[in-house]
Amino acid sequence: MDQLATLLLGFPPASGFASFEDYHSQAKSHNQTLDKLAVTSNFRQSAAQLLKHVDPAVNSMSHLALLNTAINTGSAPLPDLLAKVSVFLCSFDPQQIRYSGKALSSLLEWALSGSSLPASVAVDVVTTALLRLDSTGSVLTSHHVALAKLALDTDNITPALPLLDKNIVSYPGIKSTQDSRPLCSPDLPPAAYMTIETGLTKSLTSTDVLQYDLIRGLCYIQLKDWGKALDALERVVTYPARDNHSCSKIMVEAHNKWLLVGLLRTGKTPELPPTTAPGAQKAFATLGKPYHALAKAFEDGSAATLRAEFETIGPSFFSEENNLSLVHLVLQHFQRWQILNLRHVYTAVSLEQIRQRTHSAITAAPLATEEEVEQLLRQMMEDGMLRGVVERPADRPAHLRFLDDDDASSTDGGGLSEAEFARRMQAAAERLRELAPLVRATSDRLGGSREYIKYLVEQQKRELDGRGRAGTMDDVTPFMSQIEDEDLMTGVVPGY
């Protein structure tokens, strides 16, 4: 066992590395050594004992090999093993693990697929692990999909939010992300090492990509974060189609939920983005007729009309499509949006006027008392939907006074405080820092794309001929028309 310990502790060497190329060479060699050791009986018998002597943060590759062996052989007590897995996923050296991608993927799959780890712990530690590998969260992996499913199915969404909130800009297999620098280079973009070749992810299909954003949308719906839900579902709705007639069932499902979430978010039917494929638009119009009818009734402004439309379509229809609870929320929010729309007419309005002018779509009738009105208003304020205050002056009836943004941020109406202004500026700066690597990665991908360069040359020719229309959708169409949905995974346009 002493000989095994010497081999396991041999990387990283105490003497350090002469260069990144030296690190790269030694890391590859050590990973090959671990693969050979893993099949020996001595290693399998000693794995549980050796785990106690190999630091997960220092000798990460070796510790990972021992963990997988201990899991496969069942040689360690389960509580101890679960604790060691959790510690490892939260502390491993991400630079080392780029060379042990297949081993890490094996461990992540075990953690996410019904292991004895509690679901809340599994979601938390896998989220941490994926962000240790890629702090930008910009590359979609097969583990993202499994993690999102587990978080939704077990109602452990909050621990996964640090990953779900990230902007995806790259997918496994994009050829333009290949990089000649060593895998350990600290400035290597995540898309260059979060790849199928390193084993840190499996290949993804267009269905995987659609499912991930649909599940993200469902997670945000569960949290009633309508803004993020709308954005996630819109990514599915606008997914690029192979031709003008393609539209998947997932896209239709996302569209119907997107329409309902749009009503909750804005109080009106959302408009399809112009980038939506023509085939998808036709499918949405045909297969989403019941939802469009409900949305039209919502916008007509009559609680009785909305309730009647809901009853005509039937609760069973929405239940079969797993949208009944979402439709019930739309009915509940109808009166809320009636109240919010009063701000366009009044700066202050009495509770009795609110009671008379707004109706519940659940009962198609006004609320019974001013107390019920006030209770609804306070619930809207708690949910962050309404900025206002209920006032009860001695000489006037109780009323709601709408607040603007400045009033909501400062009780004396004097605008944003210096502390609040500084907080917002800091948040904006952090957001810009997060976007910087994504912008660079996108720029690099476009810069290495033969199709995009060809498109730019053709656009320059048109401009020289006086026929250019820079900045319009007409300029984008010639390039976008070449791109198929599978290109998101392969980075290849047919013919190249």
Side-chain angles (χ1 to χ4, degrees):
M1 193 165 75
D2 290 343
Q3 185 178 3
L4 282 177
T6 300
L7 289 172
L8 293 171
L9 299 174
F11 188 92
S15 59
F17 304 98
S19 63
F20 290 132
E21 287 75 13
D22 182 33
Y23 186 112
H24 180 74
S25 176
Q26 292 199 47
K28 288 183 64 177
S29 177
H30 187 68
N31 189 51
Q32 292 170 359
T33 299
L34 292 174
D35 287 341
K36 294 176 181 178
L37 287 176
V39 298
T40 64
S41 58
N42 190 23
F43 186 83
R44 294 168 66 85
Q45 293 169 3
S46 307
Q49 287 295 323
L50 288 168
L51 276 171
K52 302 175 183 178
H53 307 288
V54 178
D55 191 333
V58 178
N59 312 107
S60 298
M61 296 170 67
S62 298
H63 195 91
L64 175 58
L66 292 168
L67 273 179
N68 280 331
T69 300
I71 289 172
N72 294 332
T73 60
S75 57
L78 186 59
D80 291 347
L81 187 60
L82 297 179
K84 290 184 183 302
V85 168
S86 299
V87 170
F88 173 79
L89 292 177
C90 295
S91 62
F92 66 80
D93 178 358
Q95 191 177 27
Q96 282 188 45
I97 295 303
R98 296 179 189 181
Y99 294 89
S100 296
K102 290 182 180 179
L104 181 68
S105 287
S106 177
L107 184 63
L108 294 179
E109 290 167 4
W110 176 81
L112 292 171
S113 60
S115 70
S116 298
L117 274 175
S120 59
V121 175
V123 170
D124 191 11
V125 297
V126 172
T127 296
T128 301
L130 290 175
L131 288 175
R132 288 183 69 79
L133 286 169
D134 171 17
S135 61
T136 69
S138 61
V139 182
L140 184 66
T141 73
S142 52
H143 308 302
H144 284 64
V145 182
L147 173 68
K149 287 181 180 178
L150 180 63
L152 180 65
D153 292 344
T154 62
D155 196 20
N156 284 287
I157 298 168
T158 301
L161 287 179
L163 190 71
L164 298 179
D165 286 345
K166 297 294 185 181
N167 295 304
I168 299 294
V169 298
S170 295
Y171 301 85
I174 296 179
K175 290 188 176 181
S176 60
T177 58
Q178 293 178 348
D179 200 300
S180 60
R181 286 173 290 182
L183 204 58
C184 58
S185 298
D187 55 349
L188 198 66
Y193 61 83
M194 299 287 287
T195 64
I196 301 167
E197 290 73 22
T198 63
L200 287 172
T201 178
K202 293 180 179 178
S203 61
L204 294 174
T205 65
S206 56
T207 300
D208 293 326
V209 178
L210 290 169
Q211 281 188 335
Y212 178 67
D213 280 317
L214 175 60
I215 294 171
R216 286 179 64 239
L218 295 175
C219 287
Y220 292 129
I221 287 173
Q222 190 77 7
L223 298 176
K224 296 185 179 180
D225 190 333
W226 310 126
K228 290 181 179 179
L230 198 65
D231 289 342
L233 294 172
E234 190 169 293
R235 287 173 63 93
V236 185
V237 170
T238 59
Y239 190 82
R242 183 180 293 276
D243 54 54
N244 288 338
H245 307 289
S246 300
C247 183
S248 71
K249 291 181 180 179
I250 297 177
M251 293 173 68
V252 173
E253 180 182 354
H255 165 266
N256 295 339
K257 295 182 188 299
W258 170 80
L259 197 152
L260 296 173
V261 170
L263 294 175
L264 293 167
R265 170 66 173 169
T266 65
K268 58 184 180 181
T269 307
E271 294 184 6
L272 282 173
T275 52
T276 308
Q281 294 185 40
K282 293 178 182 178
F284 298 156
T286 302
L287 301 177
K289 281 184 179 180
Y291 296 91
H292 285 288
L294 193 75
K296 186 177 184 303
F298 189 100
E299 290 187 301
D300 282 346
S302 167
T305 301
L306 178 57
R307 178 176 172 79
E309 188 63 47
F310 168 69
E311 292 177 344
T312 299
I313 298 170
S316 60
F317 170 81
F318 295 114
S319 179
E320 290 173 1
E321 298 211 337
N322 295 319
N323 284 330
L324 184 58
S325 60
L326 200 54
V327 171
H328 279 153
L329 282 174
V330 168
L331 298 179
Q332 292 171 12
H333 276 61
F334 175 78
Q335 187 170 21
R336 292 186 173 205
W337 277 104
Q338 282 190 316
I339 294 171
L340 285 177
N341 288 334
L342 293 175
R343 65 190 169 183
H344 301 305
V345 181
Y346 304 98
T347 57
V349 56
S350 71
L351 301 190
E352 179 59 26
Q353 283 181 301
I354 294 175
R355 194 189 72 80
Q356 293 177 3
R357 293 180 179 227
T358 66
H359 294 69
S360 166
I362 305 296
T363 63
L367 295 176
T369 64
E370 286 189 13
E371 286 73 17
E372 290 184 10
V373 173
E374 183 174 359
Q375 183 179 0
L376 175 59
L377 294 177
R378 296 200 182 281
Q379 184 62 56
M380 291 171 65
M381 294 176 199
E382 289 176 9
D383 293 345
M385 190 175 184
L386 171 65
R387 292 188 178 96
V389 59
V390 175
E391 298 178 337
R392 293 183 174 277
D395 56 341
R396 284 186 299 159
H399 61 269
L400 166 68
R401 181 166 68 87
F402 293 102
L403 303 177
D404 57 28
D405 289 342
D406 287 348
D407 289 334
S409 303
S410 176
T411 54
D412 61 3
L416 296 176
S417 65
E418 289 186 10
E420 176 64 14
F421 180 77
R423 187 191 67 78
R424 294 192 182 187
M425 290 297 292
Q426 179 65 26
E430 289 291 337
R431 178 63 175 156
L432 289 174
R433 275 193 287 271
E434 288 179 2
L435 288 175
L438 305 185
V439 173
R440 285 196 298 271
T442 304
S443 178
D444 290 343
R445 284 172 55 193
L446 287 176
S449 168
R450 294 174 60 184
E451 292 71 38
Y452 186 66
I453 294 172
K454 182 179 178 181
Y455 156 71
L456 290 178
V457 171
E458 291 176 351
Q459 182 179 348
Q460 289 175 352
K461 288 181 179 179
R462 289 199 305 273
E463 291 175 350
L464 290 174
D465 291 340
R467 296 193 297 271
R469 291 176 299 209
T472 69
M473 283 303 296
D474 291 337
D475 291 323
V476 180
T477 302
F479 172 62
M480 291 303 292
S481 64
Q482 302 178 58
I483 306 302
E484 297 185 3
D485 59 342
E486 294 299 328
D487 294 332
L488 290 175
M489 272 62 71
T490 65
V492 182
V493 172
Y496 293 90

